[in-house]
Amino acid sequence: RRPSLQQNDVFLYDMKQIQDDSDSFRAALERHLGLALPEDLTTRVNEHSSNRAIHICDAEHELIRRTLTGIGATAADWILSDFLDKRGVSVASPSSFKELILDWRIDHCNATEAE
């Protein structure tokens, strides 16, 4: 007999949601968890720097950018069409999230050059 799979709830967000509207993000996370978060809890984005950092817009990284943009587009399409409406999936600010993940399809290095 196969063991049954246990479903776990999923909370989706884009990192920009934390940066752009941390109060709204916090409220959505509290609703999802069903509890009040401590007042002194802060949300911050890790701004780690490294001497091994690359400049992703350099021409030598075009292939990886193309690959990552393709993966981003596929992921965004799947999330929007097949995952968001599943039972147990909640999203921090759904309209904001949907707009942000559509951005995963864009190579911003090339978009900047085109402007």
Side-chain angles (χ1 to χ4, degrees):
R1 183 179 147 170
R2 289 178 42 186
S4 63
L5 296 176
Q6 179 180 354
Q7 179 176 339
N8 294 305
D9 290 344
V10 176
F11 180 75
L12 294 176
Y13 65 94
D14 185 282
M15 294 296 290
K16 290 179 184 174
Q17 291 180 291
I18 297 173
Q19 294 170 314
D20 296 345
D21 191 357
S22 62
D23 291 339
S24 179
F25 172 80
R26 181 187 180 98
L29 183 57
E30 286 180 332
R31 277 192 307 277
H32 176 77
L33 296 173
L35 52 86
L37 297 173
E39 288 299 320
D40 62 347
L41 180 71
T42 59
T43 54
R44 68 179 178 86
V45 176
N46 184 6
E47 295 178 7
H48 178 72
S49 64
S50 168
N51 60 354
R52 296 175 33 201
I54 64 168
H55 297 283
I56 194 67
C57 290
D58 289 351
E60 66 184 292
H61 303 300
E62 184 175 351
L63 178 59
I64 191 69
R65 279 197 324 271
R66 241 184 300 147
T67 301
L68 291 172
T69 303
I71 292 168
T74 301
D77 291 345
W78 178 78
I79 290 168
L80 292 171
S81 66
D82 297 329
F83 192 63
L84 279 184
D85 294 332
K86 299 290 185 198
R87 186 174 51 120
V89 176
S90 59
V91 181
S93 185
S95 60
S96 165
F97 178 79
K98 290 174 184 178
E99 183 178 314
L100 287 167
I101 69 168
L102 288 174
D103 201 40
W104 297 358
R105 300 172 171 194
I106 300 168
D107 177 349
H108 289 278
C109 299
N110 290 334
T112 302
E113 292 173 8
E115 292 177 3

